């Protein structure tokens, strides 16, 4: 008897094959084999004329979905059908979640097997798990399939109904989504809070005290029995102490007078308090907490975390990585406790096996937390893993093992110290027993170092002890605005509010970045002005769709559909159809929304209007023919745009750039200009002979008004030669690049060795000696490197250029010339063929040609120009574009058309949607974006 087993990916197939008996054949489906049409070309001719065909769902036929087999999956389907002909039994072994259940159902529909078919489910790929799964196969769960299908249809309805409205009213290339639009709103709301924030200032004192030559620090706590104000006492809206707070607020004068008076006073310990405190280890990882901790510790994006975890699961190293459960099986608890005993000893073992309760209502206790696979846990060294896989496995191993370790016992110590009418406090912490700290401390990669950092030891003190003050420092503080979201904190917020599912967060975050709603700056998510405009339009016209609580209730309903508590069809009808349905609402609002108002971003305290144009945000002052428009630099966040910046931008537009002075060598004027990438200096005016005069960006943090003629000349002379390297004789230069100031050692055929300048280093004054010191240091693992292909697929039949597979920040992609095309999720490197790659590349190339009438050559030329601009630190353009830039945003924004802007293409793995942006706002595009999994 022969059995065909179908899984999603070649890696999973390769691993599971090792644990199956002879007579079992394992094939990969490469993810979904069927889906809704992603472009007009995929719509079957038989329904192409139907008004619902582009939607891919027929609302008039009980929301019947139009499923098609994409062209890149036809060969996969043929392979599976051929394999099925030789089989006596079919086992569908896709992942155990709703997505996996849906893939199995689609396989059943497409293959239409005539042999017995069963569903094979496991949460880890080990010998025991596979054997248990073979013994306990089941049928496909129709409720899970309905839940996933409803989610898929719902996302399609929202995305394909609202996105065209955004194209018409704001700009082409935008998208709306059931989860992504709420995520954008959350980020925008935080930016609005930062903008509304008003700083407050306060002062306090810090004393350096001595007891028997042992030094420690204490901070002023109260004066005359009244507590000193700190940052938490301020009202963020006013910058003043919140009403009703009885605190002492010191200014600088008062703090310095107090400093002088108290330093010579008598310092005495008035009270000593010790409070024991036990800390329990954190639960094992869920999808959400793994994404958060990997972002904090490993600086991995949510997308990268899920991709690496998927690889670890498919290779048999960890259990299934899409889970809301913190539950551990008895097998896992036993394995973790064995690790504790072996590595740390029985003293570090929790007295009883520790089990955690899952708080998420939708979680299934049959699932487990993410943990090392198997009945015994391989240590990180035993796996032989490297790179990100090793780091992530190490994180998972430590967190799981720590969950079965003893509590950490620590003592918090507070010493109260009096001097005249002032009370100072010194706080310390003593680790009495490290417990689980020995294995894992949240936010630290080195548990031993973390234990030292957590301990703050005070000298032996007793009430009545006299102390000497060696120094008393007056310190000024300013309250800080709410921190912007990072990927970790956004994931935490989305989960706590019940928005979407943790398994989709990676896709959602990637989408809002790809669509230009959010920029990732130093690990912070900074919303753009476009995000403000889109959020305002949706809040004003479709408030429920971006309401956090409404979205959470929608997610709960989808969970209830999976358990059979709610019928999926009535729910879809109520959401989309009828007088109060989404379809009717969009039709009604479309005629009411003024495009000019929709493209306007209202910011408090600014008289100028901020608008979204075809080439980005711009500021407008005045009305009608008297109005002045100027582009806003791309690096200015909405929260930081103020009247002074606007005045400078408008002044440059009206009066022309400020003249810093004349270059001493050429006599040409040096201008201070502000471009899309920030302020820069420019030597002379553009001419026919020299359309692109030399430009140099200002160093980070340098304000235009602080630039002197000497500094401007120095910047324009960069890169400057510092001298020759004593070992190679080759030149060392200092320069300013896209990523800041640097030095470079040109080693000829050996290449160039770069180092970034540090803190106080000045690119204009750095010496050869300092450069040699920096070059002697190990190179930091940052910056762009030449990327080698993961797999060379061969030559393209048209031009014999290389076609290869690469790994990029958004996953695998194939490349031919200047065309990059994403590899669908689930397709591994080894499985990619030249034929598949050519089909993906051709599909991508055709969408490039269709965007706004731009040809491939135009797109390439634009890309080259942009790349050159960024490399030099200032936007360099052709003669025509230079003229356009100098005339500001008026010409760029005066056109009514919003469709010629090149649309962003989603780089998500689950949805490789490619569409052409309409030339006019009223023309429908082939394929509106889908972004919520």
């Amino acid at each position: 008897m022969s059995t065909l087993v179908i899984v999603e990916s070649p890696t999973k197939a390769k691993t599971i094959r090792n644990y199956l008996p002879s007579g079992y054949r394992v094939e990969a489906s490469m993810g979904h084999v069927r889906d809704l049409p992603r472009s007009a070309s995929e719509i079957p001719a038989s329904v192409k004329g139907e008004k619902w065909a582009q939607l891919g769902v027929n609302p008039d036929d009980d929301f019947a979905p139009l499923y098609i087999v994409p062209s890149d999956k036809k060969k996969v389907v043929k392979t599976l059908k051929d394999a099925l002909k030789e089989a006596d039994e079919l086992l569908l072994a896709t992942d155990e979640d709703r997505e996996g259940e849906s893939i199995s159902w689609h396989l059943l529909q497409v293959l239409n097997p005539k042999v017995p078919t069963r569903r094979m489910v496991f949460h880890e790929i080990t010998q025991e798990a596979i054997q248990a799964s073979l013994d306990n196969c089941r049928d496909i769960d129709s409720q899970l399939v309905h839940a996933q299908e409803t989610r898929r249809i719902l996302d399609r309805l929202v995305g394909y109904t609202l996105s065209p409205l955004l194209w018409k009213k704001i700009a082409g290339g935008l998208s709306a989504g059931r989860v992504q639009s709420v995520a954008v709103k959350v980020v925008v709301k935080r930016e609005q809070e930062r903008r509304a924030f008003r700083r407050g200032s306060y002062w306090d004192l810090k004393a350096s005290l001595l007891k028997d030559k042992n030094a420690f620090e204490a901070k002023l706590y109260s004066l005359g029995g009244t507590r000193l104000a700190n940052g938490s006492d301020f009202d963020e809206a006013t910058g003043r102490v919140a009403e009703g707070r009885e605190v002492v607020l010191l200014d600088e004068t008062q703090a310095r007078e107090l400093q002088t008076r108290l330093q010579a006073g008598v310092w005495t310990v008035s009270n000593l308090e010790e409070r024991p405190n036990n800390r329990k280890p954190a639960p094992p990882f869920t999808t959400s907490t793994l994404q958060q901790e990997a972002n904090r510790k490993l600086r991995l994006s949510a997308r990268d975390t899920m991709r690496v975890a998927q690889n670890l699961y498919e290779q048999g190293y960890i259990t299934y990585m899409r889970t809301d459960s913190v539950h551990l099986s008895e097998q896992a608890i036993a394995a973790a406790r064995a690790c504790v005993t072996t590595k740390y000893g029985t003293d570090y073992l929790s007295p009883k096996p520790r089990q955690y309760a899952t708080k998420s209502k939708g979680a299934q206790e049959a699932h487990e937390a993410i943990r090392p696979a198997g009945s015994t846990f391989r240590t990180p060294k035993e796996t032989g893993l490297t790179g990100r896989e090793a780091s992530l496995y190490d994180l998972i191993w430590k967190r799981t093992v720590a969950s079965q370790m003893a509590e950490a016992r620590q003592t918090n110590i507070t010493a109260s110290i009096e001097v005249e009418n002032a009370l100072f406090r010194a706080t310390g912490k003593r680790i009495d027993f490290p417990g689980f700290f020995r294995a894992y401390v949240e936010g630290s990669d080195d548990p031993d170092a973390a234990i030292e950092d957590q301990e703050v030891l005070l000298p032996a003190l007793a009430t009545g002890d006299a102390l000497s003050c060696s120094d008393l420092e007056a310190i000024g503080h300013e309250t800080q605005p709410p921190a912007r979201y990072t990927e970790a904190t956004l994931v935490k917020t989305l989960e706590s509010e019940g928005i979407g599912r943790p398994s989709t967060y990676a896709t959602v975050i990637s989408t809002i970045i790809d669509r230009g709603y959010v920029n990732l700056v130093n690990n912070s998510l900074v919303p753009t002005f476009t995000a403000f405009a889109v959020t305002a339009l949706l809040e004003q016209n479709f408030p429920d769709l971006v309401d956090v609580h409404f979205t959470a209730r929608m997610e709960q309903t989808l969970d209830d559909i999976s358990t059979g508590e709610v019928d999926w069809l009535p729910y879809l009808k109520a959401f989309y159809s009828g007088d109060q349905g989404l379809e009717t609402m969009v039709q009604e609002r479309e005629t009411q929304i003024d495009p000019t108002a929709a493209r306007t971003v209202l910011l408090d305290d600014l008289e100028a209007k901020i608008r979204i144009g075809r080439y980005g945000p711009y500021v407008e002052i005045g009305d009608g023919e008297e109005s002045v428009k100027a582009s806003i630099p791309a690096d200015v966040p909405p929260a930081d745009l103020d009247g002074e910046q606007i005045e400078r931008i408008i002044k440059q537009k009206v009066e022309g750039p400020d003249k810093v002075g004349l270059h001493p060598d050429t006599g040409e004027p040096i201008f201070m200009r502000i471009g899309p990438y920030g302020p820069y200096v420019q030597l002379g005016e553009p001419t026919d002979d020299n359309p692109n005069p030399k430009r140099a960006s200002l160093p980070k943090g340098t304000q235009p008004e602080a630039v002197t003629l000497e500094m401007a000349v120095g910047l324009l002379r960069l890169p400057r030669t510092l001298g020759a390297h004593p070992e190679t004789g080759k030149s060392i230069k200092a320069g300013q690049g896209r990523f800041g100031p640097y030095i470079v050692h040109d080693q000829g055929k050996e290449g160039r060795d770069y180092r970034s300048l540090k803190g106080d280093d000045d690119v204009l004054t750095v010496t050869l000696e300092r450069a040699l010191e920096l070059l002697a240091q190990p190179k930091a693992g940052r910056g762009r490197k030449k990327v080698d292909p993961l797999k060379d697929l061969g030559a393209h039949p048209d031009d014999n250029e290389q076609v290869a597979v690469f790994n990029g920040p958004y996953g695998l992609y194939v490349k031919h010339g200047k065309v990059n095309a994403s590899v669908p999720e689930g397709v591994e490197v080894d499985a990619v063929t030249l034929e598949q790659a050519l089909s993906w590349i051709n599909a991508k190339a055709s969408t490039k040609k269709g965007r706004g009438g731009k040809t491939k050559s135009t797109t390439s030329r634009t890309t080259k120009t942009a790349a050159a601009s960024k490399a030099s630190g200032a936007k360099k353009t052709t003669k025509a574009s230079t003229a356009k830039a100098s005339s500001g945003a008026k010409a760029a924004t005066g056109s009514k058309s919003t469709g010629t802007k090149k649309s962003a293409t989603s780089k998500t793995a689950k949805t490789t949607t490619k569409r052409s942006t309409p030339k006019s706002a009223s023309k429908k595009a082939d394929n509106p974006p889908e972004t919520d999994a």
Side-chain angles (χ1 to χ4, degrees):
M1 181 176 177
S2 61
T3 301
L4 174 63
V5 180
I6 301 179
V7 297
E8 297 95 330
S9 74
T11 301
K12 187 175 178 182
K14 182 179 179 181
T15 307
I16 193 176
R17 195 175 289 121
N18 298 325
Y19 304 118
L20 290 172
S22 60
Y24 283 73
R25 176 178 175 179
V26 186
E27 293 289 346
S29 69
M30 307 298 183
H32 277 281
V33 294
R34 281 201 319 178
D35 199 1
L36 303 176
R38 295 174 295 182
S39 66
S41 62
E42 291 186 336
I43 298 174
S46 59
V47 296
K48 218 166 188 117
E50 301 290 343
K51 64 177 183 180
W52 55 266
Q54 187 172 311
L55 189 61
V57 177
N58 187 355
D60 298 328
D61 186 20
D62 291 342
F63 294 90
L66 176 63
Y67 289 123
I68 55 100
V69 177
S71 58
D72 60 336
K73 290 299 176 71
K74 289 180 180 178
K75 186 175 180 180
V76 174
V77 171
K78 184 179 184 304
T79 300
L80 296 177
K81 285 184 175 180
D82 291 343
L84 187 58
K85 291 176 184 177
E86 303 174 4
D88 301 310
E89 181 185 35
L90 173 62
L91 295 182
L92 300 171
T94 52
D95 292 339
E96 62 174 337
D97 59 3
R98 297 169 194 168
E99 191 77 22
E101 205 73 19
S102 178
I103 292 174
S104 284
W105 179 77
H106 280 290
L107 284 168
L108 195 65
Q109 304 303 307
V110 171
L111 299 180
N112 192 23
K114 307 302 181 186
V115 296
T117 302
R118 295 183 294 162
R119 179 82 166 95
M120 181 180 174
V121 177
F122 45 87
H123 72 279
E124 61 181 345
I125 306 177
T126 61
Q127 181 73 56
E128 291 174 292
I130 297 304
Q131 186 56 56
S133 179
L134 287 173
D135 296 338
N136 295 278
C137 289
R138 60 170 173 79
D139 294 329
I140 289 178
D141 188 326
S142 60
Q143 290 180 343
L144 290 180
V145 173
H146 280 316
Q148 179 59 30
E149 189 172 52
T150 305
R151 185 185 300 272
R152 184 77 179 92
I153 293 172
L154 195 61
D155 290 339
R156 173 61 68 102
L157 295 174
V158 173
Y160 274 44
T161 304
L162 281 179
S163 298
L165 183 67
L166 299 182
W167 307 340
K168 297 174 185 177
K169 303 301 180 180
I170 299 179
L174 300 179
S175 67
R178 182 178 58 86
V179 177
Q180 65 135 316
S181 294
V182 182
V184 170
K185 178 187 174 180
V186 169
V187 178
V188 165
K189 184 178 179 182
R190 178 60 55 85
E191 193 75 2
Q192 290 170 333
E193 292 171 352
R194 287 177 64 88
R195 183 165 186 84
F197 175 79
R198 296 294 177 266
R199 293 185 184 276
S201 61
Y202 61 98
W203 285 72
D204 61 14
L205 301 181
K206 182 175 72 173
S208 297
L209 303 175
L210 293 172
K211 170 67 187 337
D212 298 332
K213 297 184 179 181
N214 294 315
F216 64 100
E217 292 182 345
K219 291 183 178 180
L220 180 60
Y221 177 75
S222 65
L223 277 173
T226 303
R227 182 174 62 83
L228 202 68
N230 57 41
S232 64
D233 294 309
F234 285 80
D235 185 337
E236 294 184 349
T238 64
R240 295 189 291 270
V241 172
E243 189 175 349
R245 300 287 176 92
E246 295 185 6
V247 292
V248 176
L249 178 62
L250 295 181
D251 59 24
E252 182 176 6
T253 301
Q254 293 169 323
R256 297 205 181 280
E257 289 176 352
L258 197 62
Q259 174 190 21
T260 303
R261 178 164 61 87
L262 295 181
Q263 188 153 8
V266 178
W267 297 69
T268 307
V269 177
S270 60
N271 187 46
L272 198 66
E273 182 180 357
E274 293 193 359
R275 298 184 308 278
N277 177 34
N278 288 3
R279 277 189 57 185
K280 295 181 179 180
F285 282 127
T286 62
T287 301
S288 169
T289 55
L290 178 63
Q291 291 174 1
Q292 294 173 48
E293 194 74 340
N295 183 253
R296 284 193 292 262
K297 286 190 174 183
L298 308 180
R299 283 296 186 263
L300 289 179
S301 66
R303 165 61 60 83
D304 287 341
T305 298
M306 294 306 291
R307 192 176 297 280
V308 175
Q310 179 89 34
N311 291 339
L312 291 174
Y313 165 68
E314 291 182 348
Q315 295 175 74
Y317 288 108
I318 64 171
T319 54
Y320 193 53
M321 69 291 157
R322 292 187 178 92
T323 176
D324 294 338
S325 176
V326 293
H327 177 78
L328 285 178
S329 67
E330 295 300 323
Q331 179 195 69
I333 291 175
R337 294 177 70 81
C339 284
V340 175
T341 303
T342 302
K343 188 170 178 62
Y344 305 106
T346 54
D347 289 344
Y348 284 88
L349 192 66
S350 62
K352 298 188 300 182
R354 187 179 284 114
Q355 188 62 271
Y356 296 85
T358 301
K359 296 179 182 178
S360 173
K361 181 180 177 182
Q364 301 176 48
E365 291 302 335
H367 294 177
E368 277 198 81
I370 304 169
R371 64 166 177 85
S375 56
T376 58
F377 293 169
R378 285 170 284 188
T379 65
K381 287 184 179 180
E382 291 172 342
T383 63
L385 293 167
T386 59
R388 289 177 168 184
E389 289 185 347
S391 299
L392 195 64
Y393 180 84
D394 181 70
L395 203 62
I396 294 168
W397 186 90
K398 286 177 177 176
R399 178 92 162 210
T400 308
V401 170
S403 73
Q404 297 305 313
M405 294 180 70
E407 296 178 358
R409 300 194 299 273
Q410 54 194 24
T411 300
N412 297 318
I413 307 164
T414 302
S416 298
I417 300 150
E418 291 184 353
V419 51
E420 297 187 12
N421 69 331
L423 178 68
F424 284 72
R425 278 188 175 177
T427 58
K429 182 184 293 183
R430 183 177 67 243
I431 304 295
D432 301 314
F433 177 67
F436 72 91
F437 284 170
R438 297 301 303 169
Y440 182 85
V441 181
E442 285 186 281
S444 173
D445 294 318
D446 184 349
D448 291 328
I451 291 171
E452 294 177 8
D453 291 342
Q454 288 203 7
E455 278 198 313
V456 182
L457 298 178
L458 297 178
L461 299 173
T463 301
D465 281 352
L467 307 173
S468 59
C469 178
S470 60
D471 186 41
L472 186 59
E473 184 180 3
I475 303 174
H477 304 274
E478 278 194 339
T479 56
Q480 298 300 311
R484 289 188 174 101
Y485 284 103
T486 63
E487 287 201 31
T489 55
L490 181 58
V491 164
K492 184 175 182 179
T493 299
L494 293 176
E495 185 185 38
S496 65
E497 296 288 354
I499 303 169
R501 306 302 304 164
S503 59
T504 69
Y505 293 158
T507 301
V508 168
I509 293 174
S510 295
T511 298
I512 64 177
I513 293 173
D514 294 345
R515 293 287 173 186
Y517 292 134
V518 170
N519 292 321
L520 186 60
V521 181
N522 296 326
N523 206 40
S524 293
L525 298 172
V526 184
T528 62
F529 288 99
T530 301
F532 270 63
V534 169
T535 298
L537 184 149
L538 295 177
E539 280 186 316
Q540 293 165 14
N541 297 279
F542 310 98
D544 281 350
L545 290 181
V546 287
D547 179 78
V548 170
H549 302 296
F550 178 85
T551 306
R553 290 194 299 271
M554 184 184 295
E555 200 63 50
Q556 184 58 55
T557 301
L558 291 171
D559 287 342
D560 292 341
I561 291 172
S562 71
T563 60
E565 297 175 46
V566 172
D567 191 352
W568 65 278
L569 183 55
Y571 177 70
L572 282 180
K573 287 182 177 179
F575 175 80
Y576 189 75
S577 305
D579 294 339
Q580 301 300 317
L582 177 63
E583 182 182 34
T584 303
M585 290 172 60
V586 171
Q587 291 172 352
E588 291 176 350
R589 301 292 194 279
E590 184 173 338
T591 58
Q592 300 170 6
I593 298 173
D594 176 27
T596 301
R599 290 195 292 268
T600 302
V601 178
L602 301 176
L603 297 178
D604 295 338
D605 304 327
L606 290 183
E607 293 183 7
K609 303 180 184 72
I610 310 301
R611 301 196 196 277
I612 307 301
R614 291 169 59 193
Y615 303 102
Y618 65 95
V619 58
E620 180 179 4
I621 290 183
D623 296 309
E625 295 182 359
E626 300 298 322
S627 68
V628 180
K629 304 173 184 177
S631 296
I632 298 173
D635 61 347
V636 178
D640 299 343
L641 183 65
D642 56 27
E644 185 178 336
Q645 287 175 307
I646 290 177
E647 184 179 351
R648 191 160 55 234
I649 293 170
I650 294 295
K651 180 182 177 183
Q652 175 179 294
K653 178 64 184 299
V654 174
E655 302 178 5
D658 291 336
K659 193 163 93 170
V660 180
L662 300 178
H663 197 288
D665 297 339
T666 66
E668 293 177 277
I670 298 176
F671 298 105
M672 173 62 63
R673 302 185 69 104
I674 299 175
Y677 303 104
Y680 63 94
V681 289
Q682 174 180 300
L683 180 61
E685 293 277 14
T687 65
D688 291 341
D689 295 333
N690 183 24
N692 295 311
K694 186 165 186 180
R695 296 162 180 170
S697 295
L698 301 191
K700 186 176 181 180
T702 302
Q703 297 300 318
E705 54 269 20
V707 176
T708 63
L709 177 60
E710 182 183 9
M711 180 187 295
V713 171
L715 291 171
L716 289 167
R717 284 175 174 166
L718 294 177
R720 64 187 185 93
T721 301
L722 305 181
H725 196 286
E727 296 178 7
T728 65
K730 302 293 185 181
S731 67
I732 297 175
K733 296 181 179 181
Q736 173 103 347
R738 181 182 175 189
F739 301 103
Y742 65 87
I743 56 170
V744 57
H745 174 207
D746 189 344
Q747 304 174 84
K749 293 182 179 179
E750 299 298 321
R752 297 183 178 185
D753 190 15
Y754 288 88
R755 294 292 187 280
S756 295
L757 292 182
K758 312 293 183 182
D760 297 332
D761 292 325
D762 187 341
V763 68
L764 301 179
T765 60
V766 66
T767 63
L768 175 62
E769 290 71 24
R770 174 57 176 160
L772 292 172
E773 180 183 334
L774 290 172
L775 288 167
Q777 297 175 5
K779 193 169 186 178
R782 295 183 62 187
R784 296 197 174 202
K785 303 176 182 177
K786 180 181 178 181
V787 180
D788 294 322
L790 300 179
K791 181 181 180 182
D792 189 343
L793 300 175
H796 195 288
D798 293 345
D799 55 16
N800 288 324
E801 285 191 26
Q802 182 195 47
V803 179
V805 185
F806 293 83
N807 190 20
Y810 302 102
L812 299 178
Y813 66 94
V814 290
K815 178 180 178 67
H816 166 243
K818 291 183 171 61
V819 180
N820 299 342
S822 298
V823 175
E825 185 177 3
V827 180
E828 298 298 322
V829 176
D830 295 339
V832 178
T833 64
L834 178 60
E835 181 182 1
Q836 284 178 313
L838 292 177
S839 68
W840 299 330
I841 288 168
N842 291 338
K844 182 64 177 286
S846 65
T847 60
K848 280 193 171 186
K849 291 178 181 178
R851 283 181 189 141
K854 287 184 180 180
T855 63
K856 181 178 178 181
S857 60
T858 303
T859 304
S860 300
R861 187 164 58 250
T862 305
T863 305
K864 287 181 180 178
T865 304
S869 303
K870 290 183 179 180
S872 64
K875 189 176 182 182
K876 296 189 176 182
T877 60
T878 61
K879 180 179 178 182
S881 61
T882 303
K884 187 180 291 185
S886 65
S887 65
K890 186 171 182 179
T893 56
S895 172
K896 293 181 180 180
S897 171
T898 62
T900 55
K901 181 180 178 183
K902 180 180 177 182
S903 65
T905 301
S906 174
K907 295 174 183 171
T908 59
K910 283 191 177 179
T911 306
T912 54
T913 299
K914 303 170 180 68
R915 68 179 180 85
S916 300
T917 304
K919 280 191 174 181
S920 68
S922 61
K923 181 179 179 181
K924 291 185 179 179
D926 283 347
N927 185 19
E930 281 177 279
T931 55
D932 297 335

